[in-house]
Coordinates of all heavy atoms in Angstrom, one line a residue:
A1 N -6.5 32.3 8.1 CA -5.3 31.7 7.4 C -4.9 30.3 7.9 O -4.5 29.5 7.1 CB -4.1 32.7 7.5
I2 N -5.1 30.1 9.2 CA -4.8 28.8 9.8 C -5.7 27.7 9.1 O -5.2 26.6 8.9 CB -4.9 28.8 11.3 CG1 -4.4 27.4 11.8 CG2 -6.3 29.0 11.8 CD1 -4.2 27.4 13.3
N3 N -6.9 28.0 8.9 CA -7.8 27.1 8.3 C -7.4 26.7 6.9 O -7.5 25.6 6.5 CB -9.3 27.5 8.3 CG -9.8 27.5 9.7 OD1 -9.2 27.0 10.7 ND2 -11.0 28.1 9.9
L4 N -7.0 27.7 6.1 CA -6.5 27.4 4.7 C -5.3 26.5 4.8 O -5.2 25.6 4.0 CB -6.2 28.8 4.0 CG -5.7 28.6 2.6 CD1 -6.8 28.0 1.7 CD2 -5.3 30.0 2.0
S5 N -4.4 26.8 5.6 CA -3.2 26.0 5.8 C -3.6 24.6 6.2 O -3.0 23.6 5.7 CB -2.3 26.6 6.8 OG -1.2 25.8 7.1
Y6 N -4.5 24.5 7.1 CA -5.0 23.2 7.6 C -5.6 22.4 6.4 O -5.3 21.2 6.2 CB -6.0 23.3 8.7 CG -6.2 22.0 9.4 CD1 -5.5 21.6 10.5 CD2 -7.2 21.1 9.0 CE1 -5.7 20.4 11.2 CE2 -7.4 19.9 9.6 CZ -6.7 19.6 10.7 OH -6.8 18.3 11.3
Q7 N -6.4 23.1 5.6 CA -7.1 22.5 4.5 C -6.0 22.0 3.5 O -6.1 20.9 3.0 CB -8.0 23.4 3.8 CG -8.8 22.8 2.7 CD -9.8 21.8 3.1 OE1 -10.7 22.1 3.9 NE2 -9.7 20.6 2.6
E8 N -5.0 22.8 3.2 CA -4.0 22.4 2.3 C -3.2 21.2 2.8 O -2.9 20.3 2.0 CB -3.0 23.6 2.1 CG -3.6 24.7 1.2 CD -2.7 26.0 1.2 OE1 -1.8 26.1 2.0 OE2 -3.1 26.9 0.5
N9 N -2.9 21.2 4.1 CA -2.2 20.0 4.6 C -3.1 18.8 4.6 O -2.6 17.7 4.3 CB -1.7 20.3 6.1 CG -0.5 21.2 6.1 OD1 0.3 21.1 5.2 ND2 -0.5 22.0 7.1
Y10 N -4.4 18.9 4.9 CA -5.3 17.8 4.8 C -5.3 17.2 3.4 O -5.2 16.0 3.2 CB -6.7 18.3 5.2 CG -7.7 17.2 5.2 CD1 -8.0 16.4 6.2 CD2 -8.5 17.0 4.0 CE1 -8.9 15.3 6.2 CE2 -9.4 16.0 3.9 CZ -9.6 15.1 5.0 OH -10.6 14.1 5.0
D11 N -5.5 18.1 2.4 CA -5.6 17.7 1.0 C -4.3 17.0 0.6 O -4.4 15.9 -0.1 CB -5.8 18.9 0.1 CG -7.2 19.5 0.2 OD1 -8.1 18.9 0.9 OD2 -7.4 20.6 -0.3
K12 N -3.2 17.5 1.0 CA -1.9 16.9 0.6 C -1.7 15.6 1.3 O -1.3 14.6 0.7 CB -0.8 17.9 1.1 CG 0.6 17.6 0.5 CD 1.6 18.7 1.0 CE 2.9 18.5 0.3 NZ 3.8 19.5 0.7
T13 N -2.2 15.4 2.5 CA -2.1 14.1 3.2 C -3.0 13.1 2.5 O -2.5 12.0 2.3 CB -2.6 14.3 4.7 OG1 -1.8 15.3 5.3 CG2 -2.4 13.0 5.4
V14 N -4.2 13.4 2.1 CA -5.1 12.5 1.4 C -4.4 12.1 0.1 O -4.4 10.9 -0.2 CB -6.5 13.2 1.1 CG1 -7.3 12.3 0.2 CG2 -7.2 13.4 2.4
R15 N -3.9 13.1 -0.6 CA -3.2 12.8 -1.9 C -2.0 11.9 -1.7 O -1.9 10.9 -2.5 CB -2.8 14.1 -2.6 CG -2.4 13.9 -4.1 CD -2.0 15.2 -4.8 NE -0.7 15.7 -4.4 CZ -0.5 16.8 -3.7 NH1 -1.5 17.6 -3.4 NH2 0.8 17.1 -3.4
Y16 N -1.2 12.1 -0.7 CA 0.0 11.3 -0.5 C -0.4 9.9 -0.1 O 0.2 8.9 -0.6 CB 0.9 11.9 0.6 CG 1.8 13.0 0.1 CD1 1.6 13.7 -1.1 CD2 2.9 13.4 0.9 CE1 2.5 14.7 -1.5 CE2 3.8 14.4 0.5 CZ 3.5 15.0 -0.7 OH 4.4 16.0 -1.1
I17 N -1.4 9.8 0.7 CA -1.9 8.4 1.1 C -2.3 7.6 -0.1 O -1.9 6.5 -0.3 CB -3.0 8.5 2.2 CG1 -2.3 8.9 3.5 CG2 -3.7 7.2 2.4 CD1 -3.4 9.2 4.7
I18 N -3.1 8.3 -0.9 CA -3.7 7.5 -2.1 C -2.6 7.2 -3.1 O -2.6 6.2 -3.8 CB -5.0 8.2 -2.6 CG1 -5.9 7.1 -3.1 CG2 -4.7 9.2 -3.7 CD1 -6.4 6.1 -2.1
E19 N -1.7 8.2 -3.3 CA -0.6 7.9 -4.3 C 0.3 6.8 -3.8 O 0.7 5.9 -4.6 CB 0.3 9.2 -4.4 CG -0.4 10.3 -5.3 CD 0.4 11.6 -5.3 OE1 1.5 11.7 -4.7 OE2 -0.1 12.6 -5.9
S20 N 0.6 6.8 -2.5 CA 1.4 5.7 -1.9 C 0.7 4.4 -2.0 O 1.3 3.4 -2.3 CB 1.8 6.1 -0.5 OG 2.6 5.0 0.1
A21 N -0.6 4.4 -1.7 CA -1.4 3.2 -1.7 C -1.4 2.6 -3.1 O -1.4 1.4 -3.3 CB -2.8 3.5 -1.2
A22 N -1.4 3.5 -4.1 CA -1.4 3.0 -5.5 C -0.1 2.3 -5.9 O -0.1 1.2 -6.5 CB -1.6 4.2 -6.5
E23 N 1.0 2.8 -5.4 CA 2.3 2.2 -5.5 C 2.4 0.8 -4.8 O 2.9 -0.2 -5.3 CB 3.4 3.1 -5.1 CG 3.7 4.3 -6.0 CD 4.0 3.9 -7.4 OE1 4.8 3.0 -7.7 OE2 3.4 4.5 -8.3
I24 N 1.8 0.9 -3.6 CA 1.8 -0.4 -2.8 C 0.9 -1.4 -3.5 O 1.2 -2.6 -3.5 CB 1.3 -0.1 -1.3 CG1 2.3 0.8 -0.6 CG2 0.9 -1.4 -0.6 CD1 1.8 1.3 0.7
E25 N -0.2 -1.0 -4.1 CA -1.1 -1.9 -4.8 C -0.3 -2.5 -6.0 O -0.4 -3.8 -6.2 CB -2.3 -1.2 -5.3 CG -3.3 -2.2 -5.9 CD -4.6 -1.5 -6.3 OE1 -4.6 -0.3 -6.6 OE2 -5.6 -2.2 -6.3
K26 N 0.5 -1.8 -6.7 CA 1.3 -2.3 -7.8 C 2.2 -3.4 -7.3 O 2.4 -4.5 -7.9 CB 2.1 -1.2 -8.5 CG 1.3 -0.3 -9.4 CD 2.3 0.7 -10.0 CE 1.6 2.0 -10.4 NZ 2.6 3.0 -10.8
C27 N 2.9 -3.1 -6.2 CA 3.8 -4.0 -5.6 C 3.1 -5.3 -5.1 O 3.6 -6.4 -5.4 CB 4.5 -3.3 -4.4 SG 5.7 -4.3 -3.5
N28 N 1.9 -5.1 -4.5 CA 1.1 -6.2 -4.1 C 0.7 -7.1 -5.3 O 0.8 -8.3 -5.2 CB -0.1 -5.7 -3.4 CG -1.0 -6.8 -2.9 OD1 -0.6 -7.8 -2.3 ND2 -2.3 -6.8 -3.3
N29 N 0.3 -6.5 -6.3 CA -0.1 -7.3 -7.5 C 1.1 -8.1 -8.1 O 0.9 -9.2 -8.4 CB -0.7 -6.3 -8.6 CG -2.0 -5.8 -8.2 OD1 -2.7 -6.3 -7.3 ND2 -2.4 -4.7 -8.8
E30 N 2.2 -7.5 -8.1 CA 3.4 -8.2 -8.6 C 3.8 -9.3 -7.7 O 4.1 -10.4 -8.1 CB 4.6 -7.2 -8.8 CG 4.4 -6.3 -9.9 CD 5.5 -5.3 -10.1 OE1 6.6 -5.4 -9.4 OE2 5.4 -4.4 -11.0
T31 N 3.8 -9.0 -6.4 CA 4.1 -10.1 -5.4 C 3.1 -11.3 -5.5 O 3.6 -12.4 -5.6 CB 4.0 -9.5 -3.9 OG1 4.8 -8.4 -3.8 CG2 4.3 -10.6 -2.9
M32 N 1.9 -11.0 -5.7 CA 0.9 -12.1 -5.8 C 1.1 -12.8 -7.1 O 0.9 -14.0 -7.2 CB -0.5 -11.5 -5.6 CG -0.7 -11.1 -4.2 SD -2.4 -10.6 -3.7 CE -3.4 -11.7 -4.5
D33 N 1.4 -12.1 -8.2 CA 1.7 -12.8 -9.5 C 2.8 -13.7 -9.4 O 2.7 -14.9 -9.8 CB 2.0 -11.7 -10.6 CG 0.8 -11.0 -11.1 OD1 -0.3 -11.5 -10.8 OD2 1.0 -10.0 -11.9
V34 N 3.9 -13.3 -8.8 CA 5.1 -14.1 -8.6 C 4.7 -15.4 -7.7 O 5.0 -16.5 -8.1 CB 6.3 -13.3 -8.0 CG1 7.4 -14.3 -7.5 CG2 6.8 -12.3 -9.0
W35 N 4.1 -15.1 -6.7 CA 3.7 -16.2 -5.7 C 2.8 -17.2 -6.4 O 3.1 -18.4 -6.4 CB 3.0 -15.5 -4.5 CG 3.0 -16.3 -3.3 CD1 3.2 -17.6 -3.1 CD2 2.6 -15.7 -2.0 NE1 3.1 -17.9 -1.7 CE2 2.7 -16.8 -1.0 CE3 2.3 -14.5 -1.5 CZ2 2.5 -16.6 0.3 CZ3 2.0 -14.3 -0.2 CH2 2.1 -15.3 0.7
Y36 N 1.7 -16.7 -7.0 CA 0.7 -17.6 -7.7 C 1.3 -18.3 -8.8 O 1.2 -19.6 -8.9 CB -0.5 -16.7 -8.1 CG -1.6 -17.6 -8.7 CD1 -2.6 -18.1 -7.9 CD2 -1.7 -17.8 -10.1 CE1 -3.6 -18.9 -8.4 CE2 -2.7 -18.6 -10.6 CZ -3.7 -19.1 -9.8 OH -4.7 -19.9 -10.3
N37 N 2.0 -17.6 -9.7 CA 2.6 -18.2 -10.9 C 3.7 -19.3 -10.5 O 3.9 -20.3 -11.2 CB 3.2 -17.2 -11.8 CG 2.1 -16.4 -12.4 OD1 0.9 -16.7 -12.3 ND2 2.5 -15.3 -13.1
S38 N 4.4 -19.0 -9.4 CA 5.4 -20.0 -8.9 C 4.7 -21.3 -8.4 O 5.1 -22.4 -8.7 CB 6.2 -19.4 -7.8 OG 7.2 -20.3 -7.4
I39 N 3.6 -21.1 -7.6 CA 2.9 -22.2 -7.1 C 2.3 -23.1 -8.2 O 2.5 -24.3 -8.2 CB 1.8 -21.8 -6.1 CG1 2.3 -21.2 -4.8 CG2 0.8 -22.9 -5.8 CD1 1.3 -20.4 -4.0
H40 N 1.7 -22.4 -9.2 CA 1.0 -23.1 -10.3 C 1.9 -23.3 -11.5 O 1.3 -23.8 -12.5 CB -0.3 -22.4 -10.5 CG -1.2 -22.4 -9.3 ND1 -1.9 -23.5 -8.9 CD2 -1.5 -21.4 -8.5 CE1 -2.6 -23.1 -7.8 NE2 -2.3 -21.9 -7.5
K41 N 3.1 -22.9 -11.4 CA 4.1 -23.0 -12.6 C 3.5 -22.5 -13.9 O 3.4 -23.1 -14.9 CB 4.5 -24.5 -12.7 CG 4.9 -25.2 -11.4 CD 6.2 -25.8 -11.5 CE 6.7 -26.5 -10.3 NZ 6.9 -25.7 -9.1
I42 N 3.1 -21.2 -13.8 CA 2.5 -20.5 -14.9 C 3.5 -19.6 -15.5 O 4.2 -18.8 -14.8 CB 1.3 -19.7 -14.5 CG1 0.2 -20.6 -14.0 CG2 0.7 -18.8 -15.6 CD1 -1.0 -19.9 -13.3
D43 N 3.7 -19.7 -16.9 CA 4.6 -18.8 -17.6 C 4.0 -17.4 -17.7 O 2.8 -17.3 -18.0 CB 4.9 -19.4 -19.0 CG 5.7 -20.6 -19.0 OD1 6.8 -20.6 -18.4 OD2 5.4 -21.6 -19.6
N44 N 4.9 -16.4 -17.5 CA 4.4 -15.1 -17.6 C 5.6 -14.2 -17.8 O 6.6 -14.4 -17.1 CB 3.7 -14.7 -16.3 CG 3.3 -13.2 -16.2 OD1 4.2 -12.4 -15.9 ND2 2.0 -13.0 -16.4
D45 N 5.6 -13.3 -18.7 CA 6.8 -12.5 -19.1 C 7.3 -11.8 -17.8 O 8.5 -11.7 -17.7 CB 6.4 -11.4 -20.1 CG 6.2 -12.1 -21.5 OD1 6.7 -13.2 -21.7 OD2 5.6 -11.4 -22.4
F46 N 6.4 -11.2 -17.0 CA 6.9 -10.5 -15.8 C 7.5 -11.5 -14.8 O 8.6 -11.3 -14.3 CB 5.8 -9.7 -15.2 CG 6.2 -9.2 -13.8 CD1 7.1 -8.2 -13.6 CD2 5.6 -9.8 -12.7 CE1 7.5 -7.8 -12.4 CE2 6.0 -9.4 -11.4 CZ 7.0 -8.4 -11.3
S47 N 6.7 -12.4 -14.4 CA 7.1 -13.3 -13.2 C 8.2 -14.3 -13.5 O 8.8 -14.7 -12.6 CB 5.8 -13.9 -12.6 OG 5.3 -14.9 -13.5
D48 N 8.3 -14.7 -14.8 CA 9.4 -15.7 -15.1 C 10.7 -15.3 -14.6 O 11.5 -16.2 -14.2 CB 9.4 -15.9 -16.6 CG 8.3 -16.8 -17.1 OD1 7.4 -17.2 -16.3 OD2 8.2 -17.0 -18.3
T49 N 11.0 -14.0 -14.5 CA 12.3 -13.5 -14.0 C 12.5 -14.0 -12.6 O 13.7 -14.2 -12.2 CB 12.3 -11.9 -14.0 OG1 12.0 -11.5 -15.3 CG2 13.6 -11.4 -13.6
Y50 N 11.5 -14.1 -11.8 CA 11.6 -14.5 -10.4 C 11.2 -15.9 -10.1 O 11.7 -16.5 -9.1 CB 10.7 -13.5 -9.6 CG 10.9 -12.1 -9.9 CD1 10.0 -11.4 -10.7 CD2 12.1 -11.4 -9.6 CE1 10.2 -10.1 -11.1 CE2 12.3 -10.1 -9.9 CZ 11.4 -9.4 -10.7 OH 11.6 -8.1 -11.0
T51 N 10.4 -16.5 -11.0 CA 9.9 -17.9 -10.7 C 10.7 -19.0 -11.3 O 10.5 -20.2 -11.0 CB 8.4 -18.0 -11.2 OG1 8.4 -17.8 -12.6 CG2 7.5 -17.1 -10.5

Side-chain angles (χ1 to χ4, degrees):
I2 186 169
N3 290 351
L4 181 63
S5 173
Y6 193 90
Q7 184 68 58
E8 289 169 350
N9 284 326
Y10 179 89
D11 292 348
K12 193 173 187 180
T13 306
V14 171
R15 190 177 77 244
Y16 279 18
I17 287 173
I18 214 61
E19 285 174 3
S20 179
E23 291 301 314
I24 291 170
E25 184 175 32
K26 287 182 207 170
C27 180
N28 178 51
N29 291 341
E30 289 180 7
T31 301
M32 290 186 41
D33 282 349
V34 168
W35 204 344
Y36 185 87
N37 292 348
S38 181
I39 290 169
H40 300 287
K41 311 233 182 295
I42 295 172
D43 288 310
N44 173 283
D45 288 342
F46 167 73
S47 65
D48 284 358
T49 305
Y50 310 105
T51 58

